[in-house]
Structures are given as C-alpha cells and as structure tokens.
Amino acid sequence: MCGIFFSYSQKEHEAPSEKLLDDLRKRGPDSVGTRSRTASLERTTTQLESKEQTCNLNFVSTVLSLRGECIVGQPLEDSKSGSLLCWNGEAWRIGNEIVQGNDAEAVFSLLLNAAQSCNVNASDGLFSYDQSKQNIFKTIATITGPYAFVFYDAQSARVFYGRDALGRRSLLVKRYETYPFPTLNKDDSNVHNQILTLNSPAVEQLYQRLQSSLAIRTFKIPIPPSKQAAPARVAILFSGGLDCTLLAAIIHSILPKWEEIDLLNVAFENPRVVQAAAAANAPNPPNPPAANSVYVLCPDRTTGLSSHAELLKKLPERTWRFVSINVPYAETQAHRSNIISLIHPHNTEMDLSIACALYFAARGSGFITDTSTSLDIPYTTPARVLLSGLGADELFGGYTRHNTAFDRRGYKGLADELELDFNRLGKRNLGRDDRVISHWAKEVRYPYLDEDLVSWALSIPMWEKCGFGQVSNAEDTDSPMLEPGKKVLRLLAWRLGLRGAAAEKKRAIQFGARTAKMQAGKTKGTQNLS
C-alpha cells in the first residue's frame, strides 16, 4: 500500500502541502520518493490551428512495503523512456496468474510493454497514440485487486490514472467518472417455495470463495517491525458480529496455527449515554462504577467478547488476542479535526461517527487481559494488514432497510435496494475508510469484495443469498431458525460451529461502538458537520 500524489500545472511544478505530505508519509512510512517531468503537449484550438503547451508534472509516492523480499521505492521509473508509475494497492492476480514478488514492479512492466508494443506505426513511423491507449486500458482490465494508480507514459506524454472498479483504494480528484460495477441478478421467476438450508450449494460455494479470497490476501505478509518475538501479521477489525467472526474462523484454516491473530475491538466513552445512565440511576445511586464500565457496556464490546469466547472454544489451538481499544471522549475530541480532514470531501455526522470508530480501531492501541492474572496489559498491535468485513451487507442483504424493501415490494424492491447499496459503496464508504485507516500505516483488505466473490454473489438469485419470505421448519435440522438477512453467511457460520455469531443481529458500527450522537440534541446522521 502507498500514498500517491500527482499534480499537473502549466505554470510551475506544484508540490503537496506539508500537511498532505505528512499524511502521505503516515500511509507509507517505509519510503518516500518524488519525480517531476516537463512535457510539451499539442493542443488543438480550431480545426485548422493547434498550439504547443508546456505542462509541469509532479509525482510523489510513499510506500508501506507488504509485498516482495525488500522495499521497492516509488515512483517507479523506466530509465529508457522516462515513464513513471505511482501505485497504491495490491495486484493479487494479473489475468489468471497469481502475482509473485512485488506487484508494483509487475504492473509497471506490463504497462510499459503495453505502451511500447505499438509505439511506431510501420508505414509512417509515427506514434500510434490510440492503439497505445487501448493497450494500456486492456492491461489495466486484467488486474485483480484493490488499487489506485497514476501512470505517466513518457513516449506519448499522457497521464493515465484510476482505481479499481469497486473503489477500494482512495483516489481524490476534482473531476471523475463513474465506471460500471458488475450487474445484479434480479430474476425473481423461480423464488417460490425455495428455502436456503445448510446443504444448499450456495453455502459451500461461499465458503470456497471466502477461503480463496482470504488465502490470497494473507499470503506471505512480511513480519512487521516489532520487538515481539513472533508479532501478529494480521489483525481483524472485530465487532464480534457475523461478518468479521466468519472471517476469523475461515482464516484459521489458512494460516499456520502458531501465527497469532489480533482482534481489534473499539469502544467509546459517549457522554450522552453516560448522562442518560446517570439520570436513570439518580434516585438509587449504584455502587461506584468500575473504571472500564463505560466501555464494557458498549454493544460491540459485549458481542466482541462473546464471539472471542466462541473462537477460543471452537478453535483453541490458535492465540486469538482480543485487543480492547477504549477511547475517552476527550481523546475523540482531540483527534476530531484530523479525522474530519481525512474524510474530506465527506462531511456528514454519520461519516464522522463511522470514521472515528475505524480511525481508533486501526491505530490498534489498547490493552489485552492476562488470563493467568486477569490483569490488563497495554498493547498495540504490530500488524500492518487489517481485515474488514465490509461488503457483506451490501452483497447479501444485511441491513434493516433490505428487510423493509422486501416487505414493501418483494424481491423486486430488495433487488433495487441491494443494487443501490452496492453501486454507491465506492463513493460512499471505501475511499473515506481507506484514508482514515491508512493514516496509521495500515492497509485494510476486504475479503468480501474480492472480484470473483463479488461476481458470484451478484450472479446468484436472491433466495440463495438471504432468507426473506422463506418459511423454515423448526424441526428441520438442515434449516436452523436464523435471521433472513445474510442468511447464506449465517448458515455457513452455523456449519462451522459459530452458532452465537450466526444468530447475531446486524448493528451499525457507529451504534455498536457508540460514536454516534455523542452530544444531546436532535442531530441527524445526514446533517453536515458544523
């Protein structure tokens, strides 16, 4: 993962501000590099006239090295042509081949070949700009994984920039286009009397695809800088809910048993909740509260501890390190302006409350409890790769509004709501979350948003993803009584022995961690930040 900056100016080379450069370094602390180019471009002014313009290009790239045996600095530069690449992301596959070694170098090599493969027209010796552009587009289309990039093709004096179709890496520009996502299967002609059960093919298919997605996202992660003898390489953003607990159980079948996994669970001191509790107990003052009671009572702390206990019981051969991240209100306020800066251009109360939870969770500083002494020990996760369950709700119908849409308009309404949620995932969530999490030199990876898994999830019929409208028989052991939202995930969790997680209700992160509505009043999530 990296931080990238590119500027185009007809006046002078424009460098990033000190604040922006500091943010880029926090995303990529292992290396920082700068390159500049001056190019002469021909601009057509009329059908009969054109004039040459000089433009100044500036490239800055920082690196968080997570692929290959050594740190590969950026921007990558081709000494022959002068072409450059700033790469932020992970190329898991190119075509059908899994990328070995440093993926940025592999991508750069392909882009150079694409740009140079038709650089001279055999008949007139002129550069074939259009063919070169199409070759570059085709090359980019073969890349599987989350990425954003800026590629300068020096031979054609063209700059190409973009991000993956799902928008899993942040790339902010003043003007951008929306590219199509895969299409959703809306066919509801064969939904009657269909019941999703433990033996349904979709349950096994989901398991296989999640296994494949997690395997490629956790393959050969470098040992992070740490004083620990065997530091955790992977941490999970862990609310204890269905999505993240299922990821934990499946990753257990992939990683060596001796590798420890950190479960990052965040809870906030919310003054509004504290005041309400104090008012309710005013007539009968309780015993003096424990120092951590304000955090222990957070919904996500309760479910987190419950799911952690379930993992310990079902998969005891691994060290599942539960990291309690407690955030006092004063600390939330101290970081507020920085978080607002990171989420820009997002600017609603809901954006801030979600970002606060992710910001402090990604920092990973809290405490672990010594099981032998019951003492709390300060601990900060050394893991630089974080796994998130984002995408499961949008793909498999996990929000309350999906149930509402089905109640009002059946499968047609459900399909429309799912399509809306998925199509705005990149614009609404992913860029914002990437900027917030990467601030701590961490890379977030989304197993549910693997391209192959997404294509499969969008292609299968509605009834194979969720159980809305399905009537289960309480005596049928193959069809346990579970919530209809994300039922295929619930059945898989049930099959893996995680019955507590399988039955867990959906809860938004801002309510589970209690970052929403920290002040008394009628503030709405859609309200702009003051």
Side-chain angles (χ1 to χ4, degrees), residues 379-397:
Y379 177 83
T380 298
T381 182
R384 304 171 98 185
V385 172
L386 309 182
L387 298 178
S388 166
L390 185 69
D393 293 298
E394 290 79 4
L395 287 172
F396 299 100

Side-chain angles (χ1 to χ4, degrees), residues 216-229:
I216 202 168
R217 282 163 175 78
T218 56
F219 179 70
K220 286 190 175 180
I221 296 174
I223 298 176
S226 176
K227 295 180 180 179
Q228 299 178 43

Side-chain angles (χ1 to χ4, degrees), residues 474-523:
E475 298 179 357
D476 186 357
T477 57
D478 291 335
S479 182
M481 303 292 287
L482 296 169
E483 292 283 324
K486 298 185 292 192
K487 189 174 181 181
V488 66
L489 271 74
R490 297 183 185 280
L491 288 168
L492 178 54
W494 187 277
R495 200 177 83 175
L496 295 175
L498 303 172
R499 300 194 172 185
E504 189 62 46
K505 293 181 179 294
K506 168 64 184 176
R507 183 171 50 244
I509 186 173
Q510 64 269 34
F511 299 112
R514 286 186 170 164
T515 56
K517 298 183 178 180
M518 286 201 167
Q519 298 292 341
K522 296 183 179 180
T523 302

Side-chain angles (χ1 to χ4, degrees), residues 321-340:
R321 186 183 288 110
F322 189 87
V323 185
S324 298
I325 301 169
N326 297 340
V327 187
Y329 178 67
E331 189 170 15
T332 303
Q333 291 300 97
H335 288 259
R336 187 176 189 270
S337 62
N338 190 41
I339 298 171
I340 290 175

Side-chain angles (χ1 to χ4, degrees), residues 404-444:
T404 302
F406 178 82
D407 288 342
R408 290 176 177 173
R409 295 193 294 128
Y411 277 103
K412 177 63 169 61
L414 173 61
D416 289 343
E417 194 71 19
L418 282 173
E419 184 175 58
L420 174 65
D421 277 342
F422 183 77
N423 285 340
R424 64 188 179 187
L425 189 59
K427 182 178 180 180
R428 180 184 252 193
N429 298 82
L430 291 166
R432 175 200 65 202
D433 297 354
D434 179 68
R435 294 191 295 279
V436 168
I437 293 171
S438 299
H439 179 74
W440 301 111
K442 306 290 174 64
E443 177 174 282
V444 60

Side-chain angles (χ1 to χ4, degrees), residues 96-351:
N96 294 321
E97 298 295 322
I98 293 178
V99 177
Q100 305 287 346
N102 186 272
D103 57 325
E105 291 181 317
V107 170
F108 191 35
S109 177
L110 285 176
L111 290 174
L112 290 174
N113 289 336
Q116 295 168 2
S117 60
C118 53
N119 60 347
V120 175
N121 186 302
S123 61
D124 53 21
L126 298 177
F127 191 90
S128 180
Y129 291 119
D130 290 336
Q131 186 60 48
S132 175
K133 180 174 70 174
Q134 292 303 316
N135 283 358
I136 290 172
F137 288 165
K138 290 178 181 178
T139 296
I140 294 168
T142 66
I143 300 172
T144 297
Y147 61 82
F149 72 95
V150 176
F151 172 59
Y152 173 58
D153 178 18
Q155 296 188 78
S156 65
R158 288 185 175 183
V159 175
F160 298 82
Y161 65 91
R163 61 179 185 170
D164 68 89
L166 300 179
R168 287 164 291 184
R169 285 290 175 268
S170 172
L171 184 67
L172 296 182
V173 291
K174 292 183 179 179
R175 183 180 68 242
Y176 62 92
E177 299 176 8
T178 301
Y179 297 92
F181 299 92
T183 56
L184 177 70
N185 181 354
K186 295 186 176 183
D187 184 11
D188 62 353
S189 59
N190 190 33
V191 299
H192 301 293
N193 300 320
Q194 300 283 8
I195 297 179
L196 192 57
T197 71
L198 289 170
N199 295 320
S200 294
V203 178
E204 177 61 26
Q205 291 167 3
L206 172 63
Y207 178 70
Q208 295 296 335
R209 282 169 170 79
L210 271 178
Q211 250 198 341
S212 175
S213 175
L214 280 164
I216 202 168
R217 282 163 175 78
T218 56
F219 179 70
K220 286 190 175 180
I221 296 174
I223 298 176
S226 176
K227 295 180 180 179
Q228 299 178 43
R233 305 184 192 205
V234 177
I236 301 175
L237 299 175
F238 194 75
S239 66
L242 169 66
D243 310 331
C244 58
T245 307
L246 188 55
L247 292 181
I250 296 176
I251 201 175
H252 177 73
S253 67
I254 298 169
L255 294 181
K257 300 299 186 292
W258 52 262
E259 281 201 28
E260 301 173 350
I261 297 177
D262 288 348
L263 308 176
L264 308 181
N265 183 275
V266 65
F268 286 74
E269 178 189 12
N270 187 315
R272 184 180 58 84
V273 175
V274 173
Q275 291 166 8
N281 291 324
N284 301 298
N287 294 325
N292 292 329
S293 64
V294 66
Y295 308 110
V296 171
L297 296 177
C298 276
D300 276 4
R301 180 58 50 81
T302 303
T303 55
L305 289 169
S306 175
S307 293
H308 177 235
E310 193 165 40
L311 287 172
L312 291 175
K313 181 179 179 181
K314 297 296 179 182
L315 308 169
E317 59 271 35
R318 184 182 301 280
T319 296
W320 301 98
R321 186 183 288 110
F322 189 87
V323 185
S324 298
I325 301 169
N326 297 340
V327 187
Y329 178 67
E331 189 170 15
T332 303
Q333 291 300 97
H335 288 259
R336 187 176 189 270
S337 62
N338 190 41
I339 298 171
I340 290 175
S341 173
L342 289 170
I343 68 174
H344 178 80
H346 297 273
N347 66 338
T348 68
E349 292 287 345
M350 182 183 294
D351 286 315

